[in-house]
Amino acid sequence: MGTTPRPAPYGAWPSPIDAALVAAHDGKPEYLGAVGEELWWTAPRPEEGGRRALLRLTPDGAGAVSVLPPPWNVRNRVIEYGGVPWAGVPRPAGGPLVVFTHFADQRLYAVEPDAPGGPAPRPLTPVSPVGGGLRWADPLVRGDEVWCVLEEFTGEAPGDVRRVAVAVPLDGSAADDRAAVRELTAEAHRFVTTPRPAPDGRRAVWLAWDHPRMPWDGTELVIAEIDTAGLLTGAHAIAGGPDESVAQAEWAPDGSLLAVTDRSGWWNLHRVDPDTGHAVNLCPREEEFGDALWKLGHRWFAPLDDGTVAVVHGRGVARLGILDPATGELADATGPWTEWSPALAVRGTRVAGIAAGPHRHHEIVCLDTASGHSRVVAEEHHDVVDPAYHPTPRARVITGPDGREIHAQVYPPHHPEATGPEGERPPYVVWAHGGPTSRAPLVLDLEIAYFTSRGIGVVEVNYGGSTGYGREYRNRLRERWGVVDVEDCAAVATALADEGTADPARLAIRGGSAGGWTAAAALVSPAAEGRFACGTISYPILDLTGWAVDETHDFESHYLESLVGPLDKVPERYRDRSPVNLADRLRVPFLLLQGLDDVICPPVQAERLLAAVAGRGVPHAYLAFPGEGHGFRRAETIRRALEAELALYALAFGLGEGAAGVPPLDLRG
């Protein structure tokens, strides 16, 4: 018989989920791929300085093995968000050959993990002293070369950069010689992905786009001939354009060309004629079979040898299915997983992916398409605390301004032995995701459970502009960033208060990156006036004009042209929406968190807001973390940031000393 929950103040429930536990389990597996019969992937190591480890799972049942010891960090900085950082091929003898990028110097390395004496990575590319140097991503081992994307800085400014597809020799001859790197194409576009050769080796395809578009606005599917010298000639676009986003393109084993494009208003899978560009929608649905290409090499579909295609698809979710292109039939994998990452690895009739669900962390799951059976093969979910402390989320659709639909996910406070005082409503925190062209997935998250197990509810808002609901929903944010996102977050908070779910006097908002912008904008916007009692603002954008001119990296340097409008035509929007210019409207306590090595949303943005509120009597705290970039990776940083956030809510919500159990937060005015 279970224990009857006893009334206790919200925010003061005793919880076994502390900040150290959350930090130790932060992050998820990423960049899964196959090397012959083996599965390889990267995984976070918060306790090891936040590095990404490279792991392999051999077919012998020995379990996952870390390939490289610290400090090897398998990650790259191409377009700052990075891309696939490794690739490998099996060999008849001596074990596999794998190439990878190392974060510290951004060089491309080769390693033979089964070589006598253990792995000894050898560099394949040089270091450049110019600007951000030489960076490599999305590698593909082809013969005696590695095809990949080169990001090459030509000066000190963030925009002094070029990107081109290249071939790096595997013999190491380019380790100290940039001239030994062979450029596969002319420099025709600002952004490219790695070319994928057709099965017959005669042609290759890749994606390309240019400023001011982001890849979810419009990309081109480019095709070229591979000549006898191994160069790509006659390159031309066969699909895509300024208003059509092609998110992925792959050749099927039979030589047909497949691509995910949103020409129908939804990212659907199409078969594209490589000669004419004529495209046939293989499964026309108002669902997404792709998403925003924030990292080079994301893979939402993978062709199988039998002609079927593994696809990640859904509307507000991302399920794994097997599509028969001949009939359009789509059969979903069984199991508790509702969210699959864009990283699929195919081996014969088996498809492996990274999957999670509302009650499971991300784990590596293998689907045998012949039997329909799915099983966890690595990174298996284990409850680190009694799952009775996990929240039970529910997806909601809430009516917002002008009757528009807003998608949200509500995580009510939950504790097996505690409940709120009779007649009292719980406090809630609205979480605004980053991007803003992105989506908050409905998965088990210990960071959310950290709050809900203490009696503080969380609601994630997939505001207008989010992915997962079609192009029309994404386009709601065009030129209305700081308006629609704020209105939607405020509308969700108001709805929870009006229906009696949340205490209207104890509502907060938090977010990081673009979510940090939304959180800060909500604290100064008339659309959310009086709605939030406090806010947590992490590595944010706060000054649109500065960010648009020279305070961010190249990839997003023109992003505001679609989110806000052209600076030269609507400078008043940049001025009037920026929180740094609205400090007189900022009246509630806030916590500002910033990585000092962040080049995407640099510290100068946070410092400008601090200067604007100085002397205004607004209680606030600023925590800056050396060694952290855009998003926190180190265990000690995650722990301190989370404890500071809880301390802010304890003060702003009047939760009392029982809610703390964390270092006090010094709020200064």
Side-chain angles (χ1 to χ4, degrees), residues 293-649:
L293 189 65
W294 279 101
K295 298 181 179 182
L296 301 186
H298 272 173
R299 198 180 193 198
W300 292 273
F301 74 87
L304 281 75
D305 290 342
D306 63 3
T308 61
V309 185
V311 294
V312 175
H313 73 103
R315 186 169 184 163
V317 296
R319 294 186 172 89
L320 175 66
I322 303 299
L323 173 66
D324 183 347
T327 64
E329 293 182 2
L330 180 59
D332 283 345
T334 59
W337 308 284
T338 57
E339 196 70 29
W340 291 73
S341 299
L344 300 177
V346 170
R347 298 168 299 159
T349 62
R350 294 164 295 162
V351 180
I354 302 167
H359 306 288
R360 301 182 75 87
H361 293 297
H362 293 83
E363 47 196 351
I364 296 178
V365 181
C366 185
L367 166 67
D368 188 326
T369 62
S371 67
H373 179 65
S374 300
R375 65 186 181 95
V376 178
V377 295
E379 302 284 349
E380 184 174 6
H381 167 78
H382 294 286
D383 290 316
V384 294
V385 297
D386 186 338
Y389 290 94
H390 296 165
T392 300
R394 60 183 187 274
R396 296 280 303 275
V397 178
I398 289 170
T399 302
D402 304 320
R404 65 179 182 251
E405 289 186 346
I406 306 169
H407 296 273
Q409 291 147 191
V410 180
Y411 296 78
H414 180 73
H415 193 290
E417 299 177 359
T419 187
E422 186 176 355
E424 185 176 323
R425 302 181 196 176
Y428 261 80
V429 183
V430 172
W431 285 26
H433 64 71
T437 310
S438 184
R439 177 174 61 90
L442 189 65
V443 298
L444 178 61
D445 186 339
L446 283 181
E447 190 170 0
I448 292 177
Y450 175 80
F451 294 104
T452 57
S453 63
R454 287 171 166 75
I456 300 172
V458 170
V459 56
E460 296 180 304
V461 182
N462 284 319
Y463 46 80
S466 300
T467 58
Y469 308 98
R471 189 176 186 107
E472 183 179 348
Y473 196 86
R474 292 203 313 273
N475 284 348
R476 285 185 188 176
L477 209 57
R478 292 188 71 88
E479 301 197 4
R480 302 194 71 199
W481 194 39
V483 179
V484 166
D485 48 328
V486 169
E487 290 177 347
D488 286 1
C489 287
V492 170
T494 299
L496 295 185
D498 289 348
E499 71 187 23
T501 297
D503 184 345
R506 294 189 293 178
L507 292 166
I509 187 167
R510 66 105 85 165
S513 187
W517 155 269
T518 299
L523 297 185
V524 298
S525 170
E529 188 166 6
R531 184 73 287 168
F532 299 112
C534 63
T536 300
I537 305 164
S538 302
Y539 38 93
I541 300 166
L542 297 167
D543 178 1
L544 294 176
T545 302
W547 204 76
V549 174
D550 60 4
E551 289 177 1
T552 193
H553 61 139
D554 182 62
F555 177 57
E556 293 180 273
S557 61
H558 293 254
Y559 196 3
L560 297 186
E561 292 189 33
S562 61
L563 290 175
V564 182
L567 177 60
D568 59 344
K569 294 181 180 178
V570 289
E572 70 282 356
R573 290 182 192 167
Y574 285 70
R575 180 189 66 242
D576 296 344
R577 292 184 193 174
S578 295
V580 296
N581 298 326
L582 302 169
D584 59 320
R585 296 190 57 85
L586 192 51
R587 301 183 180 92
V588 299
F590 68 91
L591 170 65
L592 187 55
L593 304 170
Q594 179 68 49
L596 291 181
D597 292 349
D598 193 342
V599 298
I600 296 173
C601 296
V604 66
Q605 292 265 319
E607 293 162 1
R608 205 167 287 150
L609 179 65
L610 295 173
V613 300
R616 293 183 178 273
V618 181
H620 64 277
Y622 178 52
L623 300 182
F625 301 101
E628 291 283 11
H630 196 64
F632 304 146
R633 295 175 178 269
R634 300 179 178 183
E636 61 270 23
T637 303
I638 298 167
R639 177 189 58 77
R640 181 67 186 104
L642 204 52
E643 290 178 341
E645 185 176 355
L646 179 60
L648 172 70
Y649 301 149

Side-chain angles (χ1 to χ4, degrees), residues 202-203 223 225 236-238 251 257 272-278:
R202 294 171 54 194
R203 292 190 282 194
I223 191 167
E225 302 290 328
H236 62 282
I238 57 170
W251 298 94
L257 178 59
V272 181
D273 187 316
D275 295 316
T276 67
H278 177 70

Side-chain angles (χ1 to χ4, degrees), residues 141-165:
V141 179
R142 188 171 188 265
D144 58 0
E145 296 179 320
V146 183
W147 284 18
C148 58
V149 173
L150 164 62
E151 182 175 76
E152 181 174 26
F153 283 80
T154 59
E156 297 300 321
D160 294 337
V161 63
R162 61 192 296 266
R163 297 177 188 88
V164 66

Side-chain angles (χ1 to χ4, degrees), residues 83-266:
V84 174
W86 73 270
V89 290
R91 298 183 299 177
L97 171 70
V98 173
V99 298
F100 68 93
T101 55
H102 178 43
F103 187 75
D105 59 14
Q106 292 297 300
R107 299 175 85 181
L108 186 67
Y109 287 80
V111 64
E112 301 173 45
D114 297 338
R122 53 185 175 85
L124 299 180
T125 58
V127 174
S128 169
V130 180
L134 299 172
R135 304 173 182 179
W136 319 81
D138 197 16
L140 171 70
V141 179
R142 188 171 188 265
D144 58 0
E145 296 179 320
V146 183
W147 284 18
C148 58
V149 173
L150 164 62
E151 182 175 76
E152 181 174 26
F153 283 80
T154 59
E156 297 300 321
D160 294 337
V161 63
R162 61 192 296 266
R163 297 177 188 88
V164 66
V166 298
V168 177
L170 275 169
D171 63 7
S173 57
D176 296 306
D177 182 9
R178 164 65 181 85
V181 175
R182 188 167 63 91
E183 299 194 3
L184 296 172
T185 65
E187 183 188 348
H189 296 279
R190 190 69 167 190
F191 303 96
V192 295
T193 61
T194 296
R196 303 295 176 190
D200 63 9
R202 294 171 54 194
R203 292 190 282 194
V205 294
W206 65 94
L207 304 181
W209 68 98
D210 294 286
H211 287 317
R213 297 194 304 273
M214 301 300 286
W216 43 87
D217 295 324
T219 56
E220 294 181 356
L221 173 55
V222 182
I223 191 167
E225 302 290 328
I226 304 177
D227 68 14
T228 55
L231 295 176
L232 302 177
T233 63
H236 62 282
I238 57 170
D243 299 309
E244 179 185 349
S245 169
V246 183
Q248 181 191 345
E250 301 279 349
W251 298 94
D254 65 2
S256 60
L257 178 59
L258 304 177
V260 165
T261 167
D262 71 348
R263 60 175 57 191
S264 68
W266 297 81

Side-chain angles (χ1 to χ4, degrees), residues 39-41 45 54-58 60 62-68:
L39 292 176
W40 289 58
W41 67 96
R45 295 291 183 262
L54 182 63
L55 282 76
R56 67 188 290 199
L57 181 70
T58 56
D60 57 14
V65 177
S66 181
V67 178
L68 302 165

